[in-house]
Amino acid sequence: MQKITITTPDDWHLHFRDGDILNETVPATARCFARAIVMPNLVPAVTNAKLALAYKQRILDAVPEGSQFQPLMTLFLTNDMTPQDIVDAKTAGVVAAKLYPAGATTNSAAAVKGIEAMHPVFAEMEKQGLLLLIHGEVTESHIDIFDREKVFIDQYLRKIVADFPTLKVVFEHITTSDAAQFVKESSENVAATITPQHLMLNRNDLLVGGVKPHNYCLPVLKRSTHQQALREAVASGSSKFFLGTDSAPHAKHAKESACGCAGCYSAWSALELYTQVFDELDALDKLEGFASFHGADFYGLPRNTGTVTLEKQDWQVPESLTLPSGDPIVPFYAGQTVSWKIA
Ligand code: DOR
Ligand code: ZN
C-alpha cells in the first residue's frame, strides 16, 4: 500500500508541560491529532479541578488558528486527595486521574505512597466514571529496573482491577509481554496504551555502542522479546490496545547529562512512525482501530469525524528543534528516515 486514509486519530497519553513550551508542544500534536490526554505531572502537579481548568485554558491558548484540537484533562493523584476532589473533577469535565507511584518518573516525587490508601478515591472514580490511568512500575530500590512493570502487576494491579471491577483502567505505556498478556486476560474495563518507541526499539537501542540518552524513557526499553510481544499485540487488532505516544519533551542539555531525564519527544513523527510499524507488520488495516477508534471507544467519547492521509514517502526527522526558550531539543528519531509522511 502506498497511501492510507484513516479517521483523525487521538493521542491518549502525552506531556505538553507548561508555559512557553506549549507554543512548541501543542501545535506539534494538533498537526494530526484531534484530542489528547494531557498528563498532569507539572510542578506543582495538577491535583484539583481548578488547576486542571486553568491548565486547559493555557493549552487552548496555544492551539494554532483554525485547529479544532481539544485537550482532555487529567488529575495527578496524591495521598492528600479526597473523594470530593473526584466529584469536583468530574463536574469540571476532567476525564481521568493518573496514578504515579511516588518517584517512578519525571516530576512524580509528590505522588502516591501506599496505593491501598487510595482505595476510597478509586471507589469514587468508579462511581463517577473517571478513568484510572496507571504508571505501572514499582519503585522499591531493590527491584531491578527491568522487572518493575511485571512486579507492579503482581503486587498492585491485579488487586486494583479485582477490587474495582467497573473502574476503567488504562495501563499506560506498557513495555513487556507480561503487561500485554495481563491486559488481554483482564476484563473489558482494562486497556493499555503503547508508545512508538516501545514498538520500534528495545534495550539494545539504548545501550549498545554507547548510551543513547534520547532513547531513554520510563518505563525503560526492554529486551526484544518484549518488543515483539507489543508488536504482536497491536497487529492483533485487539481493541484493548491504543495509541498513546508519551511524547515528553526535555531540552537537549537535560537529556545529554550525567543524570539524563526520561522521555522521548515524539510528537513530530509519532503518527508516521506508528504507520511505519503497522506497515512492517503487514497490518496497515489495523492502524485506524489502534489510532482512531479503540481509545475513543474505551473512554466513552465519540469517534472523530475528519480524516488524515499518509503516503509512503521517505523524510528525515530534524536533528534538532529550538524550544521557545531558545534551548535546543532533540526530537525522537532525530536524523533518521521515516517511511510514511502525512499528505
Ligand atoms: O519517559 C517518561 N517521561 N516517562 C514518564 O513516565 C514521564 C515522562 C516525562 O514526564 O518526561
Ligand atoms: Zn507519560
Side-chain angles (χ1 to χ4, degrees), residues 11-231:
D11 185 346
W12 299 98
H13 180 134
L14 59 58
H15 302 262
F16 277 147
R17 315 294 189 210
D18 203 359
D20 268 2
I21 197 172
L22 292 174
N23 294 315
E24 160 62 34
T25 54
V26 176
T29 288
R31 81 193 169 94
C32 61
F33 294 107
R35 296 170 291 198
I37 288 283
V38 180
M39 288 296 135
N41 61 330
L42 304 181
V43 187
V46 181
T47 49
N48 61 49
K50 189 165 170 236
L51 291 169
L53 285 178
Y55 183 33
K56 181 178 186 180
Q57 189 54 53
R58 296 194 293 279
I59 294 166
L60 287 171
D61 291 343
V63 173
E65 285 270 325
S67 166
Q68 302 296 309
F69 176 79
Q70 283 295 325
L72 301 170
M73 307 311 291
T74 65
L75 285 195
F76 181 101
L77 293 173
T78 74
N79 288 106
D80 296 333
M81 218 138 198
T82 64
Q84 186 59 44
D85 290 316
I86 299 301
V87 176
D88 296 345
K90 179 71 183 181
T91 309
V94 169
V95 298
K98 178 80 185 277
L99 172 66
Y100 290 101
T105 190
T106 307
N107 304 338
S108 66
V112 172
K113 302 178 188 76
I115 291 176
E116 287 77 14
M118 297 305 293
H119 282 204
V121 170
F122 295 163
E124 192 62 39
M125 290 174 65
E126 187 174 39
K127 192 167 148 198
Q128 297 293 333
L130 236 68
L131 282 80
L132 176 63
L133 316 182
I134 300 185
H135 184 114
E137 287 191 288
V138 294
T139 55
E140 286 91 333
S141 58
H142 67 282
I143 308 288
D144 189 276
I145 189 167
F146 292 102
D147 298 334
R148 289 179 175 201
E149 185 172 275
K150 177 175 169 31
V151 174
F152 185 89
I153 296 169
D154 296 330
Q155 247 176 45
Y156 299 107
L157 194 51
R158 282 185 206 286
K159 182 159 167 51
I160 295 172
V161 165
D163 289 351
F164 302 96
T166 66
L167 176 64
K168 286 200 169 181
V169 172
V170 184
F171 195 174
E172 298 290 344
H173 41 50
I174 61 167
T175 64
T176 57
S177 59
D178 311 277
Q181 191 62 29
F182 173 80
V183 170
K184 273 183 226 160
E185 288 168 3
S186 296
S187 82
E188 61 185 8
N189 291 325
V190 179
T193 53
I194 306 185
T195 74
Q197 64 266 26
H198 292 105
L199 291 170
M200 300 185 68
L201 308 178
N202 60 64
R203 64 197 198 181
N204 281 6
D205 299 292
L206 179 65
L207 296 169
V208 172
V211 177
K212 310 289 189 324
H214 299 290
N215 291 342
Y216 174 59
C217 62
L218 286 171
V220 73
L221 296 169
K222 304 298 192 299
R223 62 169 68 239
S224 66
T225 48
H226 293 297
Q227 178 195 1
Q228 199 51 41
L230 301 179
R231 291 170 73 96

